[in-house]
Amino acid sequence: MESKNIPFLALFLLIFLFVVSSTTAAPAGKIKARLPCKRLVFYFHDILFNGRNSKNATSAIVGAPAGANTTIMAGQNHFGDLVVFDDPITLDNNLHSTPVGRAQGFYLYDQKDIFTSWFGFSFVFNSTQHKGSINFAGADPIMNKTRDISVVGGTGDFFMSRGIATLMTDAFEGEVYFRLRVDIKLYECW
């Protein structure tokens, strides 16, 4: 009687393994691209304090190896410099346009051999169009034409938003002024 049950048990085991393997396998095909639920474009203008422009400066080096950005350790890539900023955000690339908010946070130059930085900042809005903040974090390989950083959250109109912000250097004047175009694509909107 037991020998008659062996083929039945073998068949049952084979079917069981097939069902388990088919339910745990990765789905075939491509992953569908999602469309953003909200898309925004802003410009932010950074004017680095150089010792002579305190009236107009919106950012300053607050930490550097053995002193400001003129150190031997920092070199031309500013390795180790930490900059805090409170920059105006505009809807167009004109520095003198009416600001719709402020970009507030920091960036640090994080590689010794390549001109690159790491950002942690918020766009803080208080205009008739937007209220609240959008929070960003990520690496910024400055020499690339475009680069993506993460949108990691938000408040107010942007409560718990997540997505990607594509940065593009829109203009720069030496090491004192730069303007970034920020194309924000939010994929989680509440």
Side-chain angles (χ1 to χ4, degrees):
M1 181 98 176
E2 288 183 25
S3 62
K4 291 180 182 179
N5 288 335
I6 291 178
F8 175 74
L9 287 174
L11 180 62
F12 176 76
L13 184 60
L14 184 62
I15 292 172
F16 176 76
L17 289 175
F18 175 74
V19 168
V20 168
S21 67
S22 67
T23 58
T24 60
K30 292 184 178 180
I31 297 174
K32 276 188 166 181
R34 292 176 47 196
L35 296 175
C37 50
K38 188 176 278 194
R39 187 168 183 185
L40 307 158
V41 176
F42 298 104
Y43 293 83
F44 80 87
H45 310 264
D46 189 80
I47 304 169
L48 185 63
F49 176 67
N50 66 2
R52 299 180 304 279
N53 63 348
S54 61
K55 245 183 166 175
N56 297 329
T58 61
S59 63
I61 296 172
V62 296
N69 65 352
T70 58
T71 66
I72 295 169
M73 177 65 178
Q76 73 182 41
N77 297 323
H78 299 286
F79 177 68
D81 286 354
L82 172 64
V83 179
V84 296
F85 60 92
D86 181 17
D87 298 337
I89 305 167
T90 60
L91 295 174
D92 61 19
N93 62 3
N94 185 345
L95 172 62
H96 302 292
S97 293
T98 303
V100 295
R102 306 294 293 183
Q104 299 172 329
F106 69 92
Y107 55 94
L108 56 98
Y109 294 100
D110 60 347
Q111 287 193 19
K112 194 172 183 176
D113 302 324
I114 300 170
F115 194 49
T116 184
S117 64
W118 193 92
F119 269 117
F121 67 100
S122 297
F123 277 3
V124 180
F125 299 98
N126 193 12
S127 67
T128 56
Q129 213 170 12
H130 303 291
K131 300 264 191 251
S133 66
I134 304 173
N135 305 313
F136 306 85
D140 180 22
I142 298 166
M143 301 310 287
N144 294 354
K145 183 175 178 175
T146 62
R147 51 262 185 214
D148 292 331
I149 63 171
S150 300
V151 173
V152 296
T155 64
D157 294 344
F158 308 101
F159 177 72
M160 292 182 59
S161 294
R162 292 189 337 160
I164 295 292
T166 302
L167 306 178
M168 186 174 100
T169 304
D170 191 55
F172 67 93
E173 294 175 17
E175 297 178 345
V176 176
Y177 173 78
F178 70 84
R179 178 177 59 234
L180 290 182
R181 180 182 190 275
V182 183
D183 184 358
I184 304 166
K185 293 176 257 348
L186 300 177
Y187 292 92
E188 289 187 17
C189 303
W190 292 77

